[in-house]
Amino acid sequence: MSVVGLTKEEFDNIRTRLKRIGCIGVATGNAHSRAELFLRRVGMGMYSYDIYKRPLTEEEKEMFMHDDMFIPYSDKVIFVYGGGVFGPQSFPEEAKRSFLKRHKPW
């Protein structure tokens, strides 16, 4: 907490809010300037959100729109399904298409 300058109260607030949304883990790194919030495992797969510090580039937007592993939520938030060793490796194509009809990410 001291490395990033959080007080115990701020840390507890963040932890409480993450638990409230069902978060089971968090990862950060400088490689892609993003944080990952892990939400739920289903079998070997994992649902998570990638939250970027900066808006996505046009190239990134194009890649996320055409890969069924990702459902763009905004220009900084991507919903991700990572498959495991067996079973589905991505969202069903129809589920992604249906969401994107109702919600335009950019």
Side-chain angles (χ1 to χ4, degrees), residues 38-65:
F38 302 107
L39 298 178
R40 180 168 292 126
R41 280 206 170 278
V42 176
M44 297 294 291
M46 172 72 76
Y47 289 97
S48 62
Y49 282 101
D50 285 355
I51 302 172
Y52 290 79
K53 293 179 184 176
R54 52 151 180 83
L56 299 170
T57 66
E58 291 304 316
E59 184 178 292
E60 289 168 328
K61 289 177 182 180
E62 186 73 20
M63 188 272 299
F64 289 131
M65 288 298 284

Side-chain angles (χ1 to χ4, degrees), residues 17-80:
R17 288 171 180 246
L18 289 173
K19 281 186 169 189
R20 194 177 304 143
I21 65 167
C23 182
I24 61 173
V26 176
T28 62
N30 292 330
H32 299 287
S33 298
R34 74 170 192 240
E36 297 173 87
L37 299 181
F38 302 107
L39 298 178
R40 180 168 292 126
R41 280 206 170 278
V42 176
M44 297 294 291
M46 172 72 76
Y47 289 97
S48 62
Y49 282 101
D50 285 355
I51 302 172
Y52 290 79
K53 293 179 184 176
R54 52 151 180 83
L56 299 170
T57 66
E58 291 304 316
E59 184 178 292
E60 289 168 328
K61 289 177 182 180
E62 186 73 20
M63 188 272 299
F64 289 131
M65 288 298 284
H66 290 93
D67 187 329
D68 285 338
M69 188 174 148
F70 307 101
I71 297 178
Y73 185 76
S74 74
D75 68 344
K76 291 185 178 180
V77 179
I78 305 295
F79 191 37
V80 182

